[in-house]
Amino acid sequence: MKWETRVTQLLGIKYPIIQGGLAHLAYSELASAVSNAGGLGQVTAMSLESPEALKEEMRKVKKLTDQPFGVNFAIGQHNKRFESFVEAALEEDMQVATITGGNPKAVIDLLEGTNVKKLVLVAAKRQAVKAEELGADAVMVVGQEGGGHLGRDDVGTMVLVPQVVDVVSIPVIASGGIGDARGLMAALSLGAEGVEMGTRFIATKECVHAHESYKRALVEGSETDTVIIKRSLGAPARALANTWTDRILHLEKENIGYEGLKDFISGQTNMKYIHKGEVDNGYAWAGQVLGMIKDIPSVETLLSSMISEAEEIRRKWQQ
Ligand SMILES: Cc1cc2nc3c(=O)[nH]c(=O)nc-3n(C[C@H](O)[C@H](O)[C@H](O)COP(=O)(O)O)c2cc1C
């Protein structure tokens, strides 16, 4: 069956499936595996040490795949200047940039005059309209069931996606809560022309930077095992519920502010859990979709079974 949509055409990929930026996790191994399997893999730029490290990671991807891949820029986070990362990625012939975490204009301006495809992550209709006005080639719409940073409006994917489809003319990619063929087909029914998955890709063999304890928590956990932290800072984000997030939520109730919270929510604390497996000494982002994750397949197995199950759904619809 053909899987062509405006998203596959725009990105030059076989299946309309994109691996989301995953801070401290999604580098060359995962990105190349997703691109080799027919989706769009991505390197997460802003959790790398330096622009040089980004170039090195992109060179590694290019050795592992000849397929297109993206570079994710979460601007406004990690206290790093993103301009030098964008310039480094351009020097390595970046083909696709995804932009989140702040006003995308600065990155879009830097990409002017290049052929780089610009995908902007949004969590509200007004942001999608703005992204289109600024020159985005597509928007990725993240609903509140997703893992990591979310919009402030608490609107789910099911409600947000069709409304964004109605207000923009560029292609829409659905994100948040998608982990299997049913999610893919639902998103396409809502008018999206592709999906982005984050949490599902962590529980794969090629997500080599994720500690086994993290993957196990995703496989064993249920859809009620996440909480939203950092709401008091105006930056809500969904993480696995554990004793560490209990402490964060307790501190947030006391209105302790960024200074009081910063050591609890730092990248270092994130890495304690996700790289070292210190499950009580840190936090790990995850979406509600973890309730549907039951195995840790290779990316190739994940995508090929997702596509064949989606084709089965299509056949049933045609009967
Ligand atoms: C561990 C983790 C780290 C993430 N880091 C980033 C990031 O650095 N940049 C970004 O744009 N999105 C990031 N996200 C969001 C994902 O790209 C994606 O939008 C989200 O996971 C979709 O929801 P899902 O987890 O239900 O698939 C992260 C998500 C998770 C789970």
Side-chain angles (χ1 to χ4, degrees), residues 20-23 25 44 72 100 146-147 175-177 196-199 202 214 285:
L22 297 169
L25 295 169
T44 314
N72 174 260
T100 184
S175 177
E196 178 196 64
M197 304 193 298
T199 304
I202 300 168
Y214 186 11
W285 304 126

Side-chain angles (χ1 to χ4, degrees), residues 19-274:
Q19 166 240 309
L22 297 169
H24 306 291
L25 295 169
Y27 299 132
S28 53
E29 306 84 356
L30 183 61
S32 60
V34 176
S35 291
N36 278 330
L40 185 87
Q42 292 203 74
V43 173
T44 314
M46 300 310 293
S47 57
L48 284 162
E49 276 300 300
S50 61
E52 195 44 55
L54 173 59
K55 286 170 83 168
E56 180 57 32
E57 213 56 42
M58 290 178 72
R59 285 195 284 264
K60 282 195 213 160
V61 181
K62 285 187 264 184
K63 279 198 190 129
L64 295 167
T65 184
D66 57 1
Q67 297 301 306
F69 66 96
V71 182
N72 174 260
F73 299 96
I75 57 178
Q77 281 179 31
H78 308 292
N79 300 322
K80 282 184 202 146
R81 289 182 62 79
F82 59 84
E83 291 88 344
S84 51
F85 284 80
V86 175
E87 276 152 20
L90 284 172
E91 284 167 31
E92 284 300 322
D93 301 323
M94 166 170 61
Q95 291 157 284
V96 180
T98 61
I99 311 157
T100 184
N103 186 344
K105 185 175 185 311
V107 179
I108 290 176
D109 286 352
L110 284 174
L111 299 178
E112 206 182 309
T114 70
N115 285 327
V116 179
K117 305 294 184 276
K118 303 169 284 292
L119 274 49
V120 175
L121 266 97
V122 300
K125 277 194 285 184
R126 61 184 183 283
Q127 293 169 352
V129 171
K130 184 83 190 157
E132 180 169 40
E133 280 168 11
L134 289 172
D137 295 296
V139 282
M140 335 208 7
V141 181
V142 190
Q144 65 101 42
E145 50 276 70
H149 285 90
L150 305 166
R152 292 185 199 140
D153 299 338
D154 284 349
V155 183
T157 307
M158 191 87 177
V159 167
L160 200 49
V161 170
Q163 297 197 68
V164 171
V165 168
D166 286 346
V167 294
V168 297
S169 55
I170 51 178
V172 172
I173 295 151
S175 177
I178 297 164
D180 67 10
R182 294 168 296 182
L184 168 63
M185 295 305 277
L188 297 178
S189 303
L190 296 175
E193 296 183 58
V195 295
E196 178 196 64
M197 304 193 298
T199 304
R200 177 62 266 202
F201 278 119
I202 300 168
T204 60
K205 290 199 169 72
E206 290 88 348
C207 192
V208 293
H209 300 285
H211 194 275
E212 284 309 310
S213 309
Y214 186 11
K215 294 185 183 179
R216 209 177 315 126
L218 296 180
V219 170
E220 290 171 3
S222 81
E223 68 282 8
T224 53
D225 289 338
T226 68
V227 286
I228 294 183
I229 57 172
K230 293 177 64 179
R231 209 188 270 283
S232 65
L233 303 178
R238 191 176 293 282
L240 278 169
N242 65 353
T243 50
W244 197 263
T245 57
D246 284 349
R247 288 168 77 181
I248 293 173
L249 290 173
H250 181 74
L251 291 169
E252 288 199 86
K253 266 197 203 130
E254 293 179 357
N255 260 330
I256 185 164
Y258 176 72
E259 280 305 312
L261 282 172
K262 70 177 185 207
D263 291 340
F264 289 89
I265 57 170
S266 68
Q268 293 302 325
T269 319
N270 182 208
M271 285 188 279
K272 272 192 186 166
Y273 187 133
I274 68 172

